[in-house]
Amino acid sequence: MPSRGERRLLERGSRAVALAALGGLLWLAWRPPPPANARVTVDGTAALPAFLSQATRAPVGALALVIDSIPGRRERDWLRALAGAGTAVTWRRAGATALRGDLTGIAITAEPVVDPSGRSRIVAVGPPGAPLTISDEAGGMDSASIASSGARVLDATVDGIVTGGGARSVATTAPRDSVVLRPVLVLANAGWEGKFIAAALEEAGWRVDVRFAVAPRVAVVQGTGGRDQAATIAGIDTGRYAAVVAVDESAAPHAAALVRFVRQGGGLVVGRDASSVVALAPILPARPGAPITPVLGAIASDQPLRALGGIALSAPRRDAVVLDRLGGAARGVAARVGVGRVLMLGYDETWRWRMEGGEGAPAEHRSWWSAMVASVAYAPLAPLRPATAAQLVDEAPYAALVDALGEPLPDQPSAGAPISAIAWQRLRFVLLFVLLIGGLLAEWTSRRLRGAR
Amino acid sequence: MWRMPAALDRAGDGSRAVPGAGGARAAGATALGAVTLTLRPPRYAGRAVERLVDPALVRAYPGSRVMLEGAGPADGTRARVDDASVAVREAGIGWRSEFVTGAARALVRVERDGGGARLLALEPLVDSAPMVTLRSPARDTVLRQPNGTIALAADVRDDLGLASAVFEYIVSSGAGERFTFTSGTLGALRPGSGREAALRASLSLDGLTLAPGDVVHLRAVARDQNDVSGPGVGSSESRTIRIARADEYDSVAVDQAPPPEVDKSLLSQRMLINLTEALVKRSRAVARTEVTAESRRIGRDQGRLRKQVSDIIFSRLGDGGEGGEHFHGDGHAHAESDELAAGPLTPEALLRAAEKATVISGSPTDFEHDETPVVAINRPMLEAYNAMWDAGRALDGGEPARALPPMYIALAAIQRARAAERLYLRGAPPRVVVDLARVRLQGKEPGSPGARSPRQPIDLARAGVLARFGAALDELTRDPAAGVDSLIVLRLAVAERLPAAAAALEGAIAAVRASRNATDALRRARRALDDGLVATDTLPAWGGAR
Amino acid sequence: MSTFTFATVQYESGDWDSAPLVPANLIDSIARYTEIDVAPSGVVVPLGSEAALRYPLLYLTGHLPVRFTAQEKQVLTRFLDRGGLLFVDDHNHDVDGMFHKTVTEELEQVAGVLRKLPNTHPLYSSFFRFEDGPPNTSHELNGWGDNLLHPYLMAAMRGDRIAVLYSNKDYSSEWNFHPDNKRFYSVDNTRFGVNLVVYALTR
């Protein structure tokens, strides 16, 4: 049995422990910031929001973040703020190497399509094979796996904010601009090709001015040319036209104006018969090449353009892009000329596609010509929404994460189970509480055993 | 833009639900109460009367009688069909309004002062025209004689009910610019309210007093019982029965045409050659007089054949062949041309006549491989004619052996003509080739064209339709009844152009009105309205706005 | 090259080839007044053949009853829906004639109702100006056929474009002469044909 003195010593010790524990608890509750060299590891993106509020109250010296999905914009900004306040933040991706691919995240943008449809082109990029769902505020738009190209492109009418992503990464975007589309001028001799090009563009929603040459100094005109029957058209400039379609050699009297128009930034589509206009040669992206023999009977097939004769386009300029290739021959070549664009086509009688093609041929012909014009059209942007909308979107969360925190650390095996900052915090509370209760119990028991109150 | 309040997110998973319109009405937004619609289809439809309560969409045959009824006073209650007012009167303890549906889509609006309004879309059901299939005669026919009886048979069918069916015929007589026509019907059938019937009759050609060259056009026609927007009329394909002319020479697109004359000439010439060859073989064994007599008999047949060939040539030159051949020694006097009247017709004269008949102002009217079709066909026939002439002279002279070479030439020429005949069928009219270089811009009057006007865009309305849809969704969150009305109007607007979207909207309207979750139906409608969504897996190499 | 070729429709019923010189005459006029690239001779194309779609302007005439086959109706429907223009002329010049009665019935089944074309329509100013609408023909002025002067042409429209243009004026007789004989006319009576072609090629 311990002596009375020993008991008193024990009781004082127990009380001291309890008081120390109480003090520790009080310290934990109202403690000053942690020491600058404290290092905390957060494992899992889901734990991040809770940690961030904790770490704001009790700053840590270093944070090692292991993510299994891309943190949202709010968390990223918070982490960036922590890093700015002095916390050394590092991060790496969790999981097996094979699974880390889709943690490079989804990025998505929406920009206006240059045609009168009012649609937007949504481009989502991400790791090949990753599942991707695209939706806007009116519901789901597309669901697919990202192809080997790493991209998914959607032309659609967009309602509100567009969301794209899979299980581990979600990106959002919204169109910010619209395009200013001015009319298209069609220059042609009176004939089926000019008629049906103008018809296709008008039906697709383009505003079209035309000048169909019928006889010397006689033309059928429409648009700002008005009743002007003169051989030249004044005012072919980007203030008036988005693009000009030069169907045939009737464009020759306007060649100088067309060259000037392109150098200003305008778009020019040069039809097969217009490619012989000498004055246009300096701005053509390629040269007229060998004649192409049309494939009989192909007009109603799924490759109706094979049925059209014309020429192959040869010797493309170094900066030219082949937009349309058929059977090994370039049939549509585009290039920038100054700040403008020129598209050269090598097809004869595309109107036959509309008249003789299979089911849906008129719509295909319409879309094709609309796309040809759109590919060169001068279309300045105009802001669509207030800037606040842009603040709501998160177009490239992975890139934003790298921007906020730097590159991820190289993959490395974990040096043991990381202790969560929250868990360690709780453990300290529990230990101090146990010490407090234990100390008080020990003192109380000792005093009861010696008969004291 | 559709921005659904979080409180309406029933699923709690982010999907948005739309409250029922009925719920909003229960809150007292309208004092109109339930509207009962009684639809009485027209008699021709043969359908029963329908009663519907608060319908959003009513499909009815044109001519249907619609009766709208509801509780409350008629005074202050108004009804409109599109822009036309419809009378509303007291009926028992409520109000009643009646009207007849038309053949176009319409919007019906019932409203009450200080109360609510009810909107419903009327969509006409289509009464199809009868389908008629002509079973007999199965194909076009050419007859040599205008007599006999032709059996006629047709099957008729209608979606609602047939009123009558009949065979119609038209007889056209004449040629060139002068035609006369007679018409009539046969085998009238009144099948009552049946949907199918078999039509049978017989056509007596004798009774039509047809002449050579006449054409009988036959078809079966059926009418349905639609006495409101119809009657719908359906007809079969037409068949023609043509009576061959004596100078018949068209064998295109007919199956029972008389054999072409050239073929007959071919057979005859071969037969004459056979006879002549046999005579030459026998000539050493028989008396000279007998050979001469036999040779002259063959010569007369050769002369008759030559006349047939001449008829063929002249019929093509527009003479019709009626003048017959103007050959040496036939005793006829003809005056079709000075040349012909001048005496015996030589092959050269025939050729010149042919050219003269087909050439205007010195330039040929039609060419094919540097030769006119008339000449191309006639030249071998003229050669045949010429050779027959030589053969005939030899045969008349009792020299069958000397007649054989020209007879062979005649046969070969007829064979060539037969081939040419296949090239220049009746279906090929004369082709005149214009000398463009000679006439280009020789006209004295200048043109002065008016300005062109632009075509209407096909899809321009799509963005507007989507905007209206978004506005309707906004309306749904604020005032479900008004939102439903907006969807009804939108559905009517797109019913024809975007039927898939109209169907999805219809489902959404029904769901909202029944207080069901309309989210999926509205999503489907939204996608259908944006019909042309295009998805690809490649980034464009070129393009974009500047 | 986008050469205009004048095409005459061959249909199963009737005498589709009743005005064989009209194509040459109009081709001559096109060359005479315009620079339009035109083929020197016309073609004949069966209406029941897909080949009809190669010629967005088709000319149909005749005296006899016209009954289109199912195939002809199908091709004609596609032709009109895709932007073709069918010019139909009653060679009988007779509203009581069988050509008029039957062909209008057939056309309305395929193309919709034929309505009067206003005499202010752009067709009448597409090249030459015809202030009073369609020019009269000598057949009308001489009182032949139905003994009527038809003040309007009829048309079935697609949007604001003419899809089917129907004439009772018998231009088929009026224009059915060899183009060389144009020199005997003080006023070229085929000028309206130029308007028709220019309208088809530019509108």
Side-chain angles (χ1 to χ4, degrees), chain B residues 391-457:
Chain B
R393 273 199 293 252
L395 289 167
D396 284 345
E399 299 179 85
R402 203 164 60 83
L404 276 174
M407 292 176 89
Y408 293 141
I409 291 170
L411 179 62
I414 291 171
Q415 283 174 322
R416 285 206 305 282
R418 188 164 171 265
E421 187 68 18
R422 288 178 179 148
L423 287 175
Y424 305 110
L425 300 171
R426 173 188 173 274
R431 285 178 64 219
V432 181
V433 179
V434 177
D435 185 349
L436 296 174
R438 184 170 62 86
V439 300
R440 181 66 82 181
L441 296 175
Q442 294 303 303
K444 299 290 183 256
E445 298 165 82
S448 97
R452 182 183 185 272
S453 59
R455 289 176 179 238
Q456 286 301 308

Side-chain angles (χ1 to χ4, degrees), chain B residues 212-296:
Chain B
D214 288 359
V215 181
V216 181
H217 303 258
L218 268 171
R219 67 171 186 166
V221 179
R223 289 172 171 76
D224 65 20
Q225 298 181 0
N226 186 337
D227 53 0
V228 178
S229 58
V233 180
S235 60
S236 69
E237 292 208 338
S238 285
R239 303 274 186 268
T240 58
I241 298 164
R242 191 161 54 81
I243 310 304
R245 288 191 300 268
D247 59 340
E248 184 72 61
Y249 211 83
D250 52 345
S251 57
V252 176
V254 294
D255 298 298
Q256 300 178 26
E261 287 81 348
V262 175
D263 279 356
K264 287 191 293 189
S265 305
L266 182 72
L267 291 171
S268 300
Q269 188 63 34
R270 192 180 294 283
M271 191 173 69
L272 290 176
I273 288 172
N274 289 343
L275 289 173
T276 308
E277 287 173 341
L279 179 61
V280 170
K281 279 184 185 172
R282 288 190 287 120
S283 60
R284 290 174 191 165
V286 296
R288 172 71 190 164
T289 53
E290 194 175 335
V291 170
T292 303
E294 178 66 16
S295 177
R296 285 179 176 168

Side-chain angles (χ1 to χ4, degrees), chain B residues 348-424:
Chain B
E348 291 72 21
L350 259 178
L351 183 58
R352 280 196 297 277
E355 293 290 1
K356 186 176 179 181
T358 54
V359 171
I360 297 174
S361 303
S363 59
T365 57
D366 45 6
F367 294 84
E368 189 74 33
H369 307 297
D370 299 328
E371 195 168 52
T372 71
V374 172
V375 173
I377 298 172
N378 283 337
R379 190 181 297 283
M381 292 301 281
L382 288 165
E383 281 181 34
Y385 181 89
N386 193 15
M388 287 176 183
W389 187 263
D390 292 342
R393 273 199 293 252
L395 289 167
D396 284 345
E399 299 179 85
R402 203 164 60 83
L404 276 174
M407 292 176 89
Y408 293 141
I409 291 170
L411 179 62
I414 291 171
Q415 283 174 322
R416 285 206 305 282
R418 188 164 171 265
E421 187 68 18
R422 288 178 179 148
L423 287 175
Y424 305 110

Side-chain angles (χ1 to χ4, degrees), chain B residues 85-419:
Chain B
S85 292
V86 182
V88 178
R89 54 188 168 80
E90 297 284 348
I93 58 166
W95 58 269
R96 178 181 293 168
S97 180
E98 292 183 75
F99 60 91
V100 176
T101 62
R105 291 186 177 84
L107 204 60
V108 180
R109 183 178 180 85
V110 182
E111 58 189 351
R112 175 169 295 161
D113 291 339
R118 199 72 89 248
L119 213 59
L120 73 94
L122 282 176
E123 188 158 296
L125 287 168
V126 177
D127 174 17
S128 302
M131 290 181 63
V132 186
T133 309
L134 188 62
R135 302 290 179 199
S136 174
R139 55 207 310 184
D140 294 345
T141 304
V142 177
L143 299 176
R144 301 188 73 167
Q145 299 297 326
N147 48 35
T149 300
I150 293 175
L152 308 178
D155 295 336
V156 292
R157 199 171 63 213
D158 187 60
D159 55 342
L160 294 177
L162 290 159
S164 65
V166 71
F167 289 106
E168 286 182 357
Y169 67 85
I170 301 169
V171 180
S172 58
S173 309
E177 294 278 330
R178 291 180 186 177
F179 286 94
T180 58
F181 302 97
T182 55
S183 60
T185 59
L186 286 168
L189 184 69
R190 297 198 174 278
S193 60
R195 295 183 183 181
E196 293 184 5
L199 187 62
R200 302 284 183 269
S202 59
L203 174 67
S204 168
L205 299 179
D206 304 85
L208 296 175
T209 58
L210 299 171
D214 288 359
V215 181
V216 181
H217 303 258
L218 268 171
R219 67 171 186 166
V221 179
R223 289 172 171 76
D224 65 20
Q225 298 181 0
N226 186 337
D227 53 0
V228 178
S229 58
V233 180
S235 60
S236 69
E237 292 208 338
S238 285
R239 303 274 186 268
T240 58
I241 298 164
R242 191 161 54 81
I243 310 304
R245 288 191 300 268
D247 59 340
E248 184 72 61
Y249 211 83
D250 52 345
S251 57
V252 176
V254 294
D255 298 298
Q256 300 178 26
E261 287 81 348
V262 175
D263 279 356
K264 287 191 293 189
S265 305
L266 182 72
L267 291 171
S268 300
Q269 188 63 34
R270 192 180 294 283
M271 191 173 69
L272 290 176
I273 288 172
N274 289 343
L275 289 173
T276 308
E277 287 173 341
L279 179 61
V280 170
K281 279 184 185 172
R282 288 190 287 120
S283 60
R284 290 174 191 165
V286 296
R288 172 71 190 164
T289 53
E290 194 175 335
V291 170
T292 303
E294 178 66 16
S295 177
R296 285 179 176 168
R297 273 197 297 275
I298 297 172
R300 280 196 293 276
D301 287 339
Q302 183 71 78
R304 290 192 192 97
L305 184 58
R306 193 175 67 239
K307 181 179 181 304
Q308 285 182 19
V309 170
S310 171
D311 286 346
I312 292 168
I313 296 168
F314 270 92
S315 72
R316 286 171 178 153
L317 301 185
D319 184 83
E322 291 170 3
E325 189 202 18
H326 319 283
F327 60 94
H328 175 67
D330 67 353
H332 289 246
H334 301 283
E336 278 76 6
S337 71
D338 294 344
E339 197 161 30
L340 298 182
L345 186 69
T346 65
E348 291 72 21
L350 259 178
L351 183 58
R352 280 196 297 277
E355 293 290 1
K356 186 176 179 181
T358 54
V359 171
I360 297 174
S361 303
S363 59
T365 57
D366 45 6
F367 294 84
E368 189 74 33
H369 307 297
D370 299 328
E371 195 168 52
T372 71
V374 172
V375 173
I377 298 172
N378 283 337
R379 190 181 297 283
M381 292 301 281
L382 288 165
E383 281 181 34
Y385 181 89
N386 193 15
M388 287 176 183
W389 187 263
D390 292 342
R393 273 199 293 252
L395 289 167
D396 284 345
E399 299 179 85
R402 203 164 60 83
L404 276 174
M407 292 176 89
Y408 293 141
I409 291 170
L411 179 62
I414 291 171
Q415 283 174 322
R416 285 206 305 282
R418 188 164 171 265

Side-chain angles (χ1 to χ4, degrees), chain A residues 138-162:
Chain A
M141 301 167 81
D142 186 40
S143 183
S145 293
I146 294 178
S148 58
S149 64
R152 183 79 173 161
V153 182
L154 217 60
D155 284 358
T157 307
V158 168
D159 186 1
I161 291 176
V162 180

